[in-house]
Amino acid sequence: MGSLPRITLKKGKEKPILRGHPWVFSGAVARAEGDLAPGEIGEVYSGDGKFLGIGQFNPHSQIILRLLTRRRETLDSSFFGGRLLQADVLREKGLHGKTNAYRVINGEGDFLPGLIVDRYGEILVLQCLTAGMERLKGLFIDLLVRHFNPKNIYERSDVPSRREEGLPEARGLLYGEEILDSFEIEEYGCRFRVDVKEGQKTGFYLDQRENRFSLQKVSHGKKILDCFCYSGGFSIHTGLGGAKEITMIDSSKEALERAKDHFALNHLKSISPHLIRGDAFEVMRSLEPDYDIVILDPPPFAKKKGHLPGASRGYKDLNLQAFRLLKREGLLFTFSCSHHMNLDLFQKIVFAAAVDAGRRVQLLARRGHPIDHPVDLSHPEGEYLRGMVCRAL
Ligand code: SAH
């Protein structure tokens, strides 16, 4: 261990690490010794020389070290295999029999900073977000093959944040034979076709599974408006729950085509969904108020803190339109997946929208991440999905 590169923190800067936070910012570092190459494993010490832990360096990033352990131990295949098993036990217990598509590893939330692995039946999709995990890609491919025996592992590291790590975007087959353009998954009795090569994110919005399912129970005989529908995840659940009429809005042609196919795939022949391609902000304005349930699941508007004021205006506008469109006693399922939008602010925005729409609104439930997207409590930055279920009187 003595030969590992190391950083020593400025006095007092060890507090977040002692409380379990996995990130060390470059501004906290007093001294660096040894070769801190991107992705290199090394140690971190407090200003008074106390060993704090071992992690992965990236001197090109503002986050100079991502901690993997606070113990003196060797970070080898059995160490990472242990983390993988710990993550898998959670999913096995919580999701078995409900779906064959879920997040296997959720980065910091599973104590593997920068690594995302999603499972779609026999196919795994891997995303390396840091130089550290980029170096360990081969090791994780071996571990995943041994543990899951997948048909394929496909990489979807085509995310802009890789540039902040000094890495190019990457996408392609990592293991197995060439994969099909799309294949079927199952989620609480619904079937969906997923395209991991070209689809958004790693192919499907796994994080909304439980929230989609919750719609099945309240949709019977209802008229639904699904805004930002992507491939129709929420809508299909409402269809299976017996919805009477479904209107869907998305700006992506491919997403709407897929959504249409999903009605046939799920034998929902009695419903002919009304598909509208366009900007949901505009389309919602043009609709007549007549809906029992409105779903708002927009893309993240605030990826950076500086975007918050504009994002807040966007959320306010959408929620205002949703309240305008809801019938008396109608339900709103409203979400934000912006990292910088906390629940408190989101609730204030929805409240302001209700006031402007002249509706009296009850909060029925708060919604968030499913269990395959765990958040390390020491790392609240990992929480991003905020949702509310409201009834408008
Ligand atoms: N609810 C979906 C996920 C939604 S993701 C599910 O459960 O699977 C957000 C969607 O918003 C994407 O499909 C994207 O194409 C769409 N989108 C982005 N900007 C939009 C806009 N201004 N108007 C309509 N749709 C938009």
Side-chain angles (χ1 to χ4, degrees), residues 200 204-205 207-208 212 226-234 249-252 255 278-281 295 297-301:
Q200 296 182 20
F204 202 62
Y205 287 84
D207 53 357
Q208 286 283 30
R212 286 191 286 261
D226 182 1
C227 307
F228 307 92
C229 65
Y230 187 48
S231 58
F234 278 97
I249 309 171
D250 203 280
S251 55
S252 156
D279 178 3
F281 287 86
I295 301 146
D297 185 23
F301 294 151

Side-chain angles (χ1 to χ4, degrees), residues 347-361:
Q347 186 165 326
K348 284 189 177 122
I349 291 168
V350 175
F351 170 59
V355 170
D356 282 13
R359 303 294 295 261
R360 187 120 198 119
V361 172

Side-chain angles (χ1 to χ4, degrees), residues 141-154:
I141 293 170
D142 286 349
L143 284 174
L144 291 168
V145 168
R146 254 191 282 153
H147 192 77
F148 292 104
N149 189 23
K151 223 173 174 170
N152 311 90
I153 303 179
Y154 196 79

Side-chain angles (χ1 to χ4, degrees), residues 37-105:
E40 196 68 55
I41 283 180
E43 299 170 336
V44 55
Y45 288 82
S46 68
D48 52 9
K50 249 198 272 129
F51 170 81
L52 296 175
I54 307 174
Q56 294 166 319
F57 286 120
N58 190 348
H60 302 318
S61 164
Q62 261 193 14
I63 303 169
I64 190 169
L65 181 94
R66 289 170 201 257
L67 208 70
L68 285 159
T69 177
R70 286 170 57 193
R71 305 213 313 238
R72 281 191 191 275
E73 57 189 321
T74 309
L75 302 194
D76 54 10
S77 169
S78 88
F79 170 86
F80 289 107
R83 292 270 157 108
L84 174 63
L85 270 180
Q86 183 178 288
D88 191 43
V89 164
L90 175 68
R91 279 74 173 169
E92 227 355 89
K93 281 197 179 138
L95 293 173
H96 188 76
K98 295 174 180 166
T99 182
N100 63 353
Y102 57 90
R103 179 148 291 187
V104 174
I105 292 173

Side-chain angles (χ1 to χ4, degrees), residues 218 292-295 326 329-333 364 389-392:
V218 294
D292 298 299
I293 296 179
V294 175
I295 301 146
L326 276 172
E329 294 178 17
L331 298 179
L332 170 66
F333 288 72
L364 305 185
V389 184
C390 299
R391 185 169 81 140

